């Protein structure tokens, strides 16, 4: 009977030692995880989102310039978008500068057409946030 109990005691002590070692290993792994800097991952995500937003803004500026070029023939438009937000356009401002020759008149109907194009491109933009400037150039 004594041998039977010795084996059981040795088995219990071995299991106890294994549990203690497992606990120490888990504690070491948990402390290493706490040293990971998650801010770097978040910063990289914000940087990628900022780049994506900048590309969307530049793409929209180019598309608006191309569309305005076809509406206002004989002029060279430059579109600048400020306070660009993909979801909320209420604070967005759009400045259109039309470079044209003095002989090329920009009518009020043409200005309204450009405003309507911009209003259709931004959901919720205020009409007061759209500016159309004309710069006359000479050959």
């Amino acid at each position: 009977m004594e041998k039977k109990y010795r084996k059981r005691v040795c088995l219990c002590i071995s299991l106890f030692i294994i549990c203690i070692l497992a606990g120490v290993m888990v504690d070491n792994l948990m402390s290493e995880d706490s040293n990971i800097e998650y801010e770097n991952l978040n910063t990289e995500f914000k940087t990628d989102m900022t780049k994506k937003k900048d590309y969307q803004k530049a793409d929209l500026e180019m598309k608006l310039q191309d569309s305005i070029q076809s509406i206002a023939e004989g002029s060279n438009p430059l579109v600048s978008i400020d306070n660009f937000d993909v979801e909320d356009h209420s604070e967005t401002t759009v400045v259109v500068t039309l470079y044209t020759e003095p002989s090329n008149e920009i009518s009020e109907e043409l200005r309204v057409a450009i405003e309507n194009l911009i209003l259709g491109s931004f959901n919720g933009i205020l009409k007061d946030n759209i500016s159309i400037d004309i710069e006359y150039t000479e050959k």
Side-chain angles (χ1 to χ4, degrees):
M1 275 297 213
E2 281 186 31
K3 283 188 175 184
K4 212 178 199 182
Y5 288 119
R6 277 189 196 166
K7 286 182 182 179
R8 286 184 183 170
V9 169
C10 286
L11 181 64
C12 287
I13 292 173
S14 299
L15 288 174
F16 181 72
I17 292 173
I18 290 173
C19 287
I20 290 175
L21 291 175
V24 169
M25 288 175 53
V26 167
D27 186 48
N28 285 340
L29 290 175
M30 295 283 281
S31 66
E32 286 180 20
D33 282 345
S34 67
N35 293 335
I36 294 176
E37 293 184 21
Y38 292 103
E39 290 178 341
N40 290 342
L41 297 174
N42 194 22
T43 303
E44 290 174 13
F45 176 74
K46 285 182 181 178
T47 302
D48 290 343
M49 291 306 291
T50 302
K51 286 180 183 177
K52 182 178 179 181
K53 181 179 162 184
D54 289 343
Y55 288 132
Q56 286 176 334
K57 176 184 162 195
D59 186 49
L60 187 55
E61 286 174 341
M62 292 298 290
K63 287 180 181 177
L64 283 171
Q65 285 176 189
D66 292 342
S67 298
I68 294 170
Q69 177 71 44
S70 66
I71 293 172
E73 295 176 2
S75 65
N76 187 13
L78 176 64
V79 176
S80 177
I81 301 172
D82 294 316
N83 300 325
F84 181 69
D85 188 351
V86 178
E87 296 172 3
D88 181 22
H89 298 298
S90 62
E91 297 295 321
T92 301
T93 58
V94 178
V95 177
V96 177
T97 305
L98 296 173
Y99 295 97
T100 187
E101 296 177 15
S103 62
N104 189 9
E105 283 295 318
I106 304 299
S107 67
E108 188 61 33
E109 292 84 24
L110 190 60
R111 287 176 183 250
V112 170
I114 293 171
E115 277 184 4
N116 288 335
L117 173 69
I118 294 169
L119 288 170
S121 299
F122 296 93
N123 189 17
I125 189 171
L126 301 174
K127 203 170 191 177
D128 293 337
N129 291 352
I130 300 172
S131 172
I132 300 174
D133 300 323
I134 300 171
E135 293 284 330
Y136 292 105
T137 60
E138 295 183 24
K139 282 188 174 182

